[in-house]
Each structure stands twice: as structure tokens, then as C-alpha cells.
Amino acid sequence: MRFSRLFFSLLLATCACGYAADVTGNWLVKQESPDGNIRETYFDLKQDGTNITGAMRSVTFDRKIQSGTIDADGKIVLMMAGQNNRPGQRIQAKFVNGELRVTMPARGGGEEMTAKRAPAGAGGPPAKIEPPALHKVKYNGLAKTPPMGWNSWNKFAGRVTQEDVKGMADAIVSSGMKAAGYIYINIDDTWEGIRDANGNITTNKKFPNMKGLADYVHSKGLKLGIYSSPGPKTCAGYEGSYGHEEQDAKQYAAWGIDYLKYDWCSAGRIYKDEDMHAVYQKMGDALLKTGRPIVYSLCQYGRAEVEKWGPEVGGNLWRTTGDIRDSWDSMTKIGFDQDRLAPYAAPGHWNDPDMLEIGNGGMTDEEYRVHMSLWSLLSAPLLAGNDLRTASKEILQILTNREVVAIDQDPAGHQATRASKNGDLEVWVKKLADGGQAVGLFNRGGSAADMSVKWADLGITGKKKIRDLWKHADIPWTAEAYSANVPSHGVALIRLGK
Ligand code: GLA
């Protein structure tokens, strides 16, 4: 008995030791990327016994700690509040000898970082700048057909360099992509440096000469795109355009930029979704004011019914979804979910279901043909996201299939709608400028399937020319219906003409 009492008090004493160490305070984790960018994350913690409450302030969001614990060894587990009813992140840390080490969550790279004590209240979002009242921004006359080109994010993310971009400009020409219509070379996030003494945005060391790069890209008959955010920081934690919209637009024009992707990211710490319209309008005005033709690409993940006001802020395209991944599930979940947005696509103004993953290795060639067919039927921007310098012949054949590209680039600018769905089998139809139709028969199932589409259901009465756009072959006319055996995770794409 006496022994167990002794054991118990010892245990208590040990625990008391652990709890005595108080992690209460505002803590800052600074992560430096190889290009010199510093990403700051604050953990504002309050310890009460074994419980921890408080908040986390990252570059793109502020989140409350829903529940947090610290054990006798200083091991900390924080359950963050989620967004839109989704579960929040679980963050682990250690507090030993007055030192806090945090395992940074997902976007932070999963590495264990030492936090430093920071002044109370530091790390909050800057004061809100009211955007100007709503008005209609004039159409810039660009993107009469969906933009085509290449974007750095899907393949390179934060590793992209000026040399990669130059290499991609060379490859887009030598691979035949340019001849097929791919013109824009778009640099996504992580080119940004700090602001100079006059508040001008600079590039970081991965992009030593943006003007020179633009000249190089232009010399190849191509166009250069860039990326920013209406918030103080981009999604990767680089300098955004908040409070510098006109200045940045001017700088882009001076460099010779032809396309801007403008990504919501940390604007969400300052503004609500209902402010998006006015916030995007501000950059729309700024771009127009430069006098340079710059395609304006809105990226706010399809929130706040962007398709209804995208054109009014001068937007040429707007993302309709969260980020695509290089998987069949991600691609099909996005692609087959675009039906309701069809009425909003028109020349100059496009729904953007995100960039292509074709050639990145996560899908089969058959699945990538589905990706290409579906995006073309949807009149989606065709922005390749793979390394064009090393793309295989098969992948280039998918991306440069001119008959499929012609469906995407059809001048009437209609977006396909779902004509039928029977389990895993879906038929999508797009009206074409010449009075014809493009029809995709998609098999999302696990085994090959016989599919057919009746002419009557497409409103077709007389005999038509049928062209198989992947086989590059005319198909003899058959009365009543078109039938095909479609492979698993595959497509038959036909064009019906006169
Ligand atoms: C967001 C966008 C992506 C990409 C990254 C860059 O996630 O949706 O397309 O631009 O930011 O940080």
C-alpha cells in the first residue's frame, strides 16, 4: 500500500513538472525557401493544465484551435477548427526546455521547425482596404477562344525557375505544341521577391530577369503569363498585390506580361466571399488602365457564383473548382461536374475547371484522352501542366490532336452539356459553329462497355458525316444511332458534320 502511494505521488510530481512548463504565448515559425522567401506562421497558444486553446495564423488563413493537449513529456497535439464543416488539421508539436518545435502541416511541408517567441497580437491580417464600388469593367477583347498554353504549377510547384520557363518556351515550339495553338507560357506562384523601397514588386533569385524572359518568350512568337493574389500573400506564402494593384499591373505591363492568374489565397483573411466581386474588379480596372492587352484569369475556386460576375470584372476566365490533382478521381470529379456552368461560357469569358495534368504520370494514356476530350467539350482553357521538354510522343499526340483542339477552340464558344447518364456511362454534347455537334461517349466504369447515342436524341434527322476524332477516321453513316465499344476509363469522341 505504502509503495503504491509513493509511486502515485512520484507520478504526480513528474506530471506536475511537465505541466509547470507553460507554452502560453505567441510563437512564430519562419520557413525560408531556397529562393529566399520567408513564410511566417504564428501559433498563439494558451495553456491551462493539460489543455491548450488559441489560434494559428498562417499566410492564407486564421484558424482557432478546437481542442489542444500537452502531456507530461511536452508532447502537444492541436486539432484545428475546420472550414465549411470539414475536419480541421491535426498539428503536432513538442515543448521541451522552453523550446517549441512544431511539425508544420501540409502546405508547410511537413518539416519540424523551431518556433520563436513573438509579440502578443503579432501575425494578424492587415487592416481591410475597402474596394471601390461595383461598376462594369470593359471587356478587353481577348481570349475569343479558350486560352491555350502551359502553366508551371502542376509539375514544378515552388521549384520553377527562369531556366525551366525558357526551356518550356523552346519545347512548346519544337514539340509542335505551338503549331497546335498553345501560345501562353504561364509562370505560376513563387516567382515573387520582396517589394523595393518604392513598393515595386521584385522577382526572387529564381527569376533574375523578368523583362529578359518576356523578351525571350516573345521572340518565339509566344506570350508570357504571371501570377499574383489580391491578398497580402499568395497561396505559397509569397508577396501578393494587396494595396499595390495598380502598381503591380503597371509593373507586369512594363515587363511585357500578357496574362495574369489572380489567386484569392490570403485575401480570405481580410475579405468575405461577398467582397470577391469588388476585389477582383479592382485588378480588372488596373489591368485595363495599363493599356496592354493582358488576359485576366480569376482563381477563387468557383466561390460566390463567380460565373455570374466574372465577365463584369473584366475576367476572361474563372476557376470553377478547387485544385486538380493528377489522378483519375480528381480529374473526373471536376470534369463531369461542370454541367450546370454551361450557360456561362462564351467567347471572351470561360469557365476554368483547372489546368491539364496530361503527361504527369498519374493516369493512363486512355485516361488522359478522357481528360483532353472532356476539357475540349467543356470549352475549357487548355493549359498543359507537364514537362514539355521530356514529354513522350504519345502524350504530345494527345495534347496536339488538332481535331480535338478544334472542338475546344470552336468559335461559337458553347460549352458541352450532359445529354445522358446511365451509371458509369455518360454522353456529352457540344454545339459547334458550323451547325455540327461534338459528342463524347465516356465510360467511367471498370470494364469496357457498348455505348450508343440515338440520332433522334441529338435532334438529327438527315444523314451526317461522322468523324472519329481519336482514330482520325471517317465512320460510315448508320441509321438511327452511333454505337461504339468504349474501353474502361475511356472515351469515343466524334464530330457530326454536314
Ligand atoms: C492555388 C491555386 C493553384 C496554384 C497554387 C499556387 O492552390 O489554385 O492553381 O496556383 O495556389 O500556390
Side-chain angles (χ1 to χ4, degrees):
M1 277 301 136
R2 205 175 293 155
F3 173 74
S4 68
R5 205 172 299 146
L6 182 67
F7 177 74
F8 198 59
S9 11
L10 265 175
L11 194 73
L12 264 180
T14 329
C15 299
C17 257
Y19 301 149
D22 192 353
V23 75
T24 298
N26 197 14
W27 296 86
L28 167 62
V29 174
K30 278 192 184 185
Q31 291 171 287
E32 185 167 354
S33 337
D35 56 34
N37 185 65
I38 293 173
R39 183 186 171 110
E40 295 188 339
T41 310
Y42 288 82
F43 294 88
D44 196 354
L45 308 177
K46 187 166 183 334
Q47 182 179 341
D48 183 5
T50 57
N51 289 328
I52 296 181
T53 50
M56 169 185 174
R57 300 192 182 95
S58 85
V59 282
T60 48
F61 60 78
D62 300 89
R63 289 265 193 290
K64 266 179 79 164
I65 297 171
Q66 199 145 54
S67 63
T69 52
I70 179 166
D71 72 8
D73 297 326
K75 195 173 153 230
I76 295 173
V77 177
L78 304 176
M79 296 305 301
M80 309 309 299
Q83 224 197 353
N84 306 329
N85 296 326
R86 284 199 299 262
Q89 281 172 320
R90 180 177 189 273
I91 296 175
Q92 296 195 61
K94 266 183 264 163
F95 186 54
V96 179
N97 299 330
E99 190 181 84
L100 179 66
R101 291 186 64 79
V102 186
T103 306
M104 295 304 288
R107 274 246 179 184
E111 48 179 338
E112 197 183 88
M113 299 287 305
T114 302
K116 293 260 170 340
R117 286 205 179 261
K128 179 174 175 178
I129 303 172
E130 272 316 319
L134 291 182
H135 56 265
K136 208 166 171 246
V137 180
K138 207 176 114 221
Y139 170 48
N140 58 14
L142 302 172
K144 292 255 165 64
T145 60
M148 291 177 68
W150 176 86
N151 174 291
S152 61
W153 187 255
N154 285 356
K155 175 71 188 178
F156 295 90
R159 297 177 307 278
V160 66
T161 66
Q162 180 170 291
E163 284 317 301
D164 295 327
V165 175
K166 275 189 169 173
M168 233 45 75
D170 295 341
I172 214 164
V173 176
S174 62
S175 63
M177 296 268 296
K178 180 190 171 207
Y182 294 84
I183 295 296
Y184 288 94
I185 300 285
N186 293 349
I187 308 165
D188 207 280
D189 204 352
T190 79
W191 62 268
E192 308 88 340
I194 52 170
R195 291 192 181 275
D196 69 14
N198 300 318
N200 292 317
I201 187 74
T202 65
T203 55
N204 64 44
K205 56 185 169 203
K206 292 188 299 166
F207 287 86
N209 183 1
M210 193 61 91
K211 174 86 179 76
L213 181 58
D215 290 346
Y216 184 81
V217 168
H218 292 153
S219 76
K220 308 234 146 203
L222 302 166
K223 294 183 183 296
L224 186 65
I226 213 165
Y227 166 101
S228 190
S229 169
K233 296 284 175 189
T234 66
C235 290
Y238 289 63
E239 195 66 19
S241 294
Y242 186 65
H244 294 272
E245 294 79 3
E246 277 202 13
Q247 198 172 8
D248 285 0
K250 258 176 136 171
Q251 181 64 73
Y252 304 152
W255 281 332
I257 298 295
D258 308 293
Y259 185 117
L260 172 69
K261 170 173 168 184
Y262 206 43
D263 194 354
W264 189 243
C265 306
S266 68
R269 297 184 73 193
I270 301 162
Y271 297 110
K272 299 207 167 68
D273 277 17
E274 53 262 37
D275 299 321
M276 283 178 168
H277 185 160
V279 170
Y280 274 92
Q281 170 193 279
K282 196 172 185 186
M283 185 51 99
D285 279 333
L287 291 176
L288 209 60
K289 206 170 160 191
T290 67
R292 185 176 172 85
I294 299 176
V295 170
Y296 188 24
S297 157
L298 278 45
C299 178
Q300 40 78 285
Y301 336 115
R303 276 152 54 177
E305 302 192 304
V306 60
E307 65 279 3
K308 296 195 176 151
W309 51 263
E312 284 172 33
V313 302
N316 298 110
L317 59 154
W318 48 84
R319 274 271 293 277
T320 58
T321 73
D323 290 12
I324 194 169
R325 279 171 294 106
D326 183 21
S327 73
W328 170 255
D329 275 358
S330 167
M331 184 274 288
T332 51
K333 216 169 148 210
I334 290 176
F336 289 110
D337 195 33
Q338 302 295 307
D339 195 46
R340 69 175 185 87
L341 295 168
Y344 301 96
H349 312 290
W350 309 103
N351 291 305
D352 171 12
D354 209 356
M355 304 165 294
L356 300 173
E357 289 284 9
I358 296 169
N360 279 334
M363 290 180 246
T364 64
D365 286 358
E366 194 60 51
E367 292 172 336
Y368 284 139
R369 273 190 282 277
V370 169
H371 193 358
M372 185 73 188
S373 306
L374 190 50
W375 261 238
S376 295
L377 285 165
L378 294 173
S379 302
L382 297 179
L383 295 170
N386 59 322
D387 189 341
L388 302 174
R389 298 168 301 192
T390 54
S392 70
K393 210 174 93 224
E394 291 73 22
I395 289 301
L396 288 172
Q397 271 169 3
I398 296 173
L399 287 166
T400 61
N401 182 329
R402 300 220 186 179
E403 296 193 80
V404 179
V405 167
I407 300 302
D408 181 75
Q409 296 290 300
D410 187 77
H414 297 303
Q415 178 172 324
T417 51
R418 184 190 282 111
S420 71
K421 178 169 166 62
N422 178 8
D424 290 327
L425 309 178
E426 299 196 17
V427 177
W428 286 67
V429 179
K430 174 174 178 170
K431 286 193 184 129
L432 302 174
D434 64 1
Q437 303 183 41
V439 184
L441 293 84
F442 293 95
N443 176 4
R444 300 174 66 175
S447 48
D450 288 323
M451 292 185 71
S452 70
V453 51
K454 286 200 185 108
W455 302 136
D457 292 344
L458 300 179
I460 289 174
T461 44
K463 192 173 165 182
K464 296 271 181 262
K465 185 179 161 201
I466 314 173
R467 178 87 179 153
D468 185 316
L469 304 186
W470 285 110
K471 295 197 176 124
H472 300 293
D474 290 338
I475 296 177
W477 171 257
T478 41
E480 308 242 336
Y482 166 78
S483 305
N485 185 265
V486 184
S488 155
H489 290 193
V491 61
L493 183 63
I494 55 169
R495 180 178 186 139
L496 298 165
K498 292 187 189 103

